[in-house]
């Protein structure tokens, strides 16, 4: 169960790790073939791994544009240890990610083959184009209810208190960017255990996420992720 929870948190946060260049979205990619790389650091600043993203397909459905994003996680030695994909939609100057696609299909099939019944519910993550300091964003969540041999289990991940804190210029190895800082609280519950974290995300128009920092409940830094390269 811990593995599922950690993965959900990772993918929920990964929604902000993407870059963008599309008339509909200022902060998310809608160009097929674009690829992006982020380096993940621990609290001491040591490299923990690499996260890469690539846009495999883009399609139009009426007034909406839908993109499929491939995600791959590698350790600090470059060995790939996980990959998945998910979809998101841009319409009416708003990007949303389908909460059902947050849970990898391959993992779902694995648990279903073990006789586990699963139901997924929640609400999509949304980020508008008109970010400004002080703006509050809609909460997001995903809940997975499972049943196996008569035993019920559930996992939930909630993203709350989402708001734009400030605007500032930051520099990474990929360049210098003017960013909005978006903060949020993430709460995961499983098997009676609750984990609370908070994060700050630096989002730049035309680039997307440049930096992310995750903190423990007491405010101590846990990890950070920075943009290291991207190809449009």
């Amino acid at each position: 169960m811990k593995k599922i929870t950690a993965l959900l948190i990772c993918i929920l946060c990964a929604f902000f790790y993407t870059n963008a260049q599309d008339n509909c979205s200022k902060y998310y990619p809608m160009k097929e073939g674009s690829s992006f790389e982020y380096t993940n650091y621990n609290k001491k600043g040591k490299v923990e791994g690499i996260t890469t993203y690539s846009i495999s397909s883009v399609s139009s459905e009426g007034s909406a544009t839908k993109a499929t994003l491939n995600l791959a996680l590698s350790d600090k030695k470059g060995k790939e240890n996980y990959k998945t994909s998910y979809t998101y939609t841009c319409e009416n100057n708003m990007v949303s990610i389908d909460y059902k696609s947050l849970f990898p299909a391959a993992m779902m099939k694995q648990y279903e083959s073990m006789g586990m019944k699963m139901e997924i519910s929640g609400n999509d993550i949304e980020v508008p184009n008109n970010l400004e300091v002080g703006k509050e964003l809609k909460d997001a969540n995903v809940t997975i209810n499972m049943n196996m041999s008569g035993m019920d289990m559930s996992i939930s991940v909630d993203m709350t208190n989402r708001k734009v804190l400030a605007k500032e210029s930051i520099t990474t190895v990929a360049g210098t960017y003017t960013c909005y800082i978006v903060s949020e609280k993430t709460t995961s519950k499983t098997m009676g255990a609750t984990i609370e974290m908070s994060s700050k995300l630096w989002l730049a128009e035309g680039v997307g996420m440049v930096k992310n920092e995750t903190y423990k409940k007491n405010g101590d830094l846990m990890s950070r992720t920075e943009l290291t390269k991207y190809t449009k």
Side-chain angles (χ1 to χ4, degrees):
M1 295 303 105
K2 289 183 179 179
K3 180 180 179 181
I4 298 176
T5 302
L7 180 59
L8 285 173
I9 293 174
C10 176
I11 297 177
L12 280 166
C13 292
F15 179 53
F16 295 95
Y17 292 1
T18 54
N19 299 28
Q21 52 174 51
D22 182 80
N23 291 332
C24 178
S25 171
K26 291 182 179 180
Y27 300 100
Y28 302 93
M30 292 287 177
K31 183 177 180 181
E32 189 171 319
S34 297
S35 61
F36 320 95
E37 178 188 278
Y38 293 85
T39 300
N40 311 313
Y41 303 88
N42 63 20
K43 63 182 181 180
K44 295 181 179 181
K46 295 183 178 180
V47 175
E48 289 287 285
I50 300 292
T51 304
T52 58
Y53 304 85
S54 61
I55 309 302
S56 60
S57 66
V58 178
S59 61
S60 297
E61 297 181 5
S63 61
T65 302
K66 182 175 290 187
T68 299
L69 182 70
N70 297 328
L71 177 156
L73 302 176
S74 301
D75 61 24
K76 59 185 178 182
K77 295 182 178 180
K79 180 181 179 181
E80 185 178 290
N81 50 36
Y82 184 78
K83 61 181 179 180
T84 187
S85 62
Y86 57 94
T87 60
Y88 54 94
T89 302
C90 185
E91 187 174 18
N92 299 323
N93 293 316
M94 175 80 73
V95 170
S96 62
I97 183 170
D98 180 6
Y99 66 85
K100 292 183 179 179
S101 71
L102 292 173
F103 193 85
M107 184 174 287
M108 180 174 287
K109 289 181 180 179
Q110 176 184 352
Y111 283 98
E112 287 178 343
S113 67
M114 296 166 57
M116 182 179 291
K117 297 181 180 179
M118 307 180 69
E119 292 184 0
I120 303 177
S121 60
N123 63 278
D124 296 345
I125 305 171
E126 295 181 351
V127 174
N129 281 339
N130 60 336
L131 293 181
E132 58 183 19
V133 177
K135 187 178 185 65
E136 296 185 355
L137 307 181
K138 182 180 176 182
D139 292 346
N141 69 75
V142 58
T143 299
I144 304 172
N145 293 310
M146 297 167 283
N147 180 282
M148 185 173 185
S149 302
M151 183 173 65
D152 293 322
M153 297 170 285
S154 67
I155 297 172
S156 66
V157 179
D158 297 283
M159 298 172 69
T160 59
N161 299 332
R162 302 175 63 220
K163 57 186 177 182
V164 182
L165 292 181
K167 188 176 185 179
E168 68 176 23
S169 178
I170 67 167
T171 300
T172 73
V173 296
T176 299
Y177 308 91
T178 299
C179 302
Y180 282 107
I181 303 174
V182 179
S183 66
E184 63 192 29
K185 176 183 176 182
T186 301
T187 304
S188 63
K189 297 180 180 180
T190 177
M191 302 291 286
T194 299
I195 300 174
E196 294 183 2
M197 299 185 299
S198 62
S199 64
K200 291 181 181 179
L201 303 109
W202 282 256
L203 291 167
E205 185 174 330
V207 178
M209 200 208 84
V210 175
K211 180 181 177 181
N212 171 74
E213 291 184 345
T214 302
Y215 308 88
K216 295 180 180 180
K217 184 179 179 180
N218 64 5
D220 290 344
L221 179 67
M222 294 174 61
S223 63
R224 84 173 194 274
T225 298
E226 292 186 358
L227 176 68
T228 46
K229 66 173 68 173
Y230 66 95
T231 302
K232 298 181 180 180

